[in-house]
Amino acid sequence: MADKIAPGTCPTASGMPMLGLGTWQNTDPEQCTESVRTALETGYRHIDTAQMYGNESAVGDGIARADVDREDIFLATKLLPENLGREDVLETTRESLERLGVDSVDLLYVHWPTEAYDPEETLGALSELYDDGLIDNVGVSNFEPEQLEVAVDVCDAPIFANQVELHPLLPQEHIRETCENLDVEVVAYSPLARGSVFDQPVLEEIAAKHDTNEVQVSLAWLRERGVTAIPKATGEAHIRDNWESLTLELDRADLEAIDAIEETHREVDPAFGPWN
């Protein structure tokens, strides 16, 4: 199925490919490098990392190793919570660029609105980086609606995306509605609920109907709902299986059945999460 989707032809949202490779916990350098290379040569054009992941250098090596031009890749990274003061934003972003081996990133996120985060100071520094051409877009992550509204109001550069945990067991309707109203893209991390989608009967039934699996159903549902997904994958089989979700078209009954799932489950729930 994967060869039905030509490399680089994934649907996009405001120019961002709607299926990307997540690299959280991909800390073995060679494995991470190979995962990134494999994803890019499979067809992915969106790679997501973070200072917190400790793998920016390996991600950069994977980009360099792949037979894909840098300008064709949408590359995103995120700032550590302790690096959100103005000078730290400016300094550590340049360090991230050096580790990644690039002159700029397509998207730089505030990873969590905690520790050194101050809306005006942090987003002011990100706006400086935007004006200097070191980042193409400003993003936020794990922002609740009220925090997103403040960010949009105080940031001189447009807020491009809000990356949050989002999957069929945590649909985040209020955040999605707020993002739509503010013209902010939604990016889903842990889009497979760290495997919990395999235990959901509705997803099992829809997967059987389409002769596929719950992973592809979940990723297709996100895409149909206008959400960009960045599933973590390390092995070639999983990378390709996620990519094949682009061939799956769910009908209205499928989408409505997934929307109606009552079970909710949050996988990422630190004490400092803004929803706590």
Side-chain angles (χ1 to χ4, degrees):
M1 293 175 66
D3 58 3
K4 295 181 181 178
I5 303 293
T9 58
C10 176
T12 60
S14 301
M16 174 177 59
M18 294 187 72
L19 180 63
L21 177 74
T23 61
W24 177 71
Q25 287 189 333
N26 197 348
T27 54
D28 178 88
E30 183 60 24
Q31 180 185 63
C32 183
T33 294
E34 277 302 294
S35 297
V36 171
R37 182 196 64 79
T38 298
L40 290 171
E41 295 188 354
T42 296
Y44 290 72
R45 293 296 181 267
H46 181 173
I47 305 295
D48 181 273
T49 183
Q51 293 177 349
M52 187 180 289
Y53 302 167
N55 62 10
E56 287 176 320
S57 294
V59 168
D61 289 343
I63 291 171
R65 191 177 294 182
D67 187 21
V68 176
D69 291 339
R70 165 66 185 101
E71 55 265 30
D72 294 333
I73 301 168
F74 189 96
L75 176 60
T77 192
K78 312 177 195 73
L79 295 163
L80 275 165
E82 58 262 39
N83 291 339
L84 297 178
R86 178 183 178 276
E87 294 303 321
D88 287 333
V89 168
L90 300 178
E91 179 180 351
T92 67
T93 296
R94 287 173 169 83
E95 292 170 353
S96 286
L97 296 179
E98 184 175 351
R99 286 190 293 269
L100 289 162
V102 297
D103 296 325
S104 65
V105 290
D106 299 86
L107 178 57
L108 180 64
Y109 293 97
V110 175
H111 203 155
W112 290 91
T114 186
E115 294 194 35
Y117 177 67
D118 175 85
E120 293 189 357
E121 180 178 351
T122 302
L123 296 171
L126 283 162
S127 294
E128 290 184 50
L129 294 167
Y130 175 84
D131 290 340
D132 290 342
L134 297 181
I135 65 174
D136 292 339
N137 294 285
V138 174
V140 297
S141 183
N142 297 298
F143 276 45
E144 291 290 280
E146 298 78 9
Q147 294 169 309
L148 181 60
E149 290 168 353
V150 170
V152 168
D153 185 55
V154 305
C155 190
D156 291 334
I159 300 295
F160 178 81
N162 185 17
Q163 184 178 131
V164 297
E165 180 183 349
L166 203 161
H167 44 73
L169 307 183
L170 191 69
Q172 302 272 34
E173 294 100 331
H174 189 23
I175 288 178
R176 283 192 283 150
E177 180 181 356
T178 302
C179 287
E180 183 177 2
N181 291 338
L182 296 174
D183 196 27
V184 173
E185 296 296 337
V186 182
V187 178
Y189 70 77
S190 297
L192 308 176
R194 298 188 179 174
S196 294
V197 295
F198 287 107
D199 302 320
Q200 171 45 243
V202 171
L203 299 177
E204 292 175 4
E205 292 172 9
I206 295 172
K209 170 183 170 182
H210 292 278
D211 191 26
T212 184
N213 56 49
E214 295 87 346
V215 166
Q216 294 190 18
V217 169
S218 298
L219 294 176
W221 172 77
L222 287 164
R223 186 178 69 252
E224 293 285 354
R225 291 305 186 217
V227 176
T228 295
I230 51 166
K232 170 197 169 185
T234 54
E236 181 176 355
H238 287 158
I239 289 170
R240 293 189 181 278
D241 189 55
N242 293 344
W243 179 251
E244 288 173 7
S245 70
L246 297 173
T247 67
L248 176 60
E249 295 184 9
L250 301 178
D251 59 36
R252 178 177 294 182
D254 298 330
L255 296 172
E256 291 177 351
I258 296 171
D259 289 339
I261 293 174
E262 295 184 356
E263 177 187 356
T264 58
H265 185 63
R266 185 185 289 275
E267 293 287 343
V268 181
D269 195 18
F272 57 79
W275 48 84
N276 287 324

